[in-house]
Amino acid sequence: QVQLVESGGGLVQPGGSLRLSCAASGSFFSINGMGWYRQTPGKERELVAVIERGGRTKYADSVKGRFTVSRDNAKNTVYLQMNSLKPEDTAVYYCNAEVVVRFTLSEFKYWGQGTQVTVSS
């Protein structure tokens, strides 16, 4: 079984910074894409930033220039550095990983439990 454990959320003032981490554990062959999504009440979950195993990244327009996604393949961990935070960044942030399982080499999407980020003065 694969688990994604997130950390780093919390309360921050507008203009502040937070760093989210998500570590994957369990038995698997490899991890392809990893990334972050967020969701607010009554809205669909939306992509924030994703990073491929080779390092190519994609960002939502709303976070470009403020957020940076990175990963450590040796640690099966993805990070999200969030700077210049705004109240509209307030949401539950979910980690996502495209995990390749052993033997069949099939790919499955796994989600973390979510971590709350609140930007407020």
Side-chain angles (χ1 to χ4, degrees):
Q1 188 67 300
V2 177
Q3 283 192 318
L4 302 180
V5 179
E6 301 154 349
S7 60
L11 173 64
V12 64
Q13 291 187 342
S17 297
L18 280 176
R19 188 189 193 215
L20 306 182
S21 299
C22 172
S25 63
S27 179
F28 48 85
F29 180 75
S30 66
I31 301 177
N32 289 334
M34 300 186 82
W36 296 91
Y37 292 71
R38 66 187 181 188
Q39 189 170 23
T40 54
K43 291 190 176 182
E44 291 189 358
R45 194 170 296 185
E46 64 175 6
L47 180 146
V48 176
V50 292
I51 181 168
E52 296 180 2
R53 185 171 183 84
R56 188 165 67 177
T57 59
K58 178 181 179 180
Y59 294 91
D61 289 341
S62 59
V63 307
K64 282 181 182 177
R66 301 187 298 122
F67 291 11
T68 302
V69 63
S70 60
R71 65 188 284 174
D72 183 333
N73 291 331
K75 295 181 179 180
N76 296 314
T77 299
V78 63
Y79 307 95
L80 184 67
Q81 178 65 44
M82 304 185 290
N83 298 329
S84 302
L85 282 160
K86 305 176 181 179
E88 50 263 44
D89 294 318
T90 296
V92 177
Y93 284 70
Y94 295 91
C95 170
N96 172 268
E98 298 170 341
V99 178
V100 179
V101 300
R102 297 182 189 279
F103 306 116
T104 65
L105 301 184
S106 300
E107 183 182 279
F108 296 91
K109 277 195 171 183
Y110 286 87
W111 293 92
Q113 79 282 3
T115 185
Q116 177 70 46
V117 171
T118 302
V119 184
S120 175
S121 56

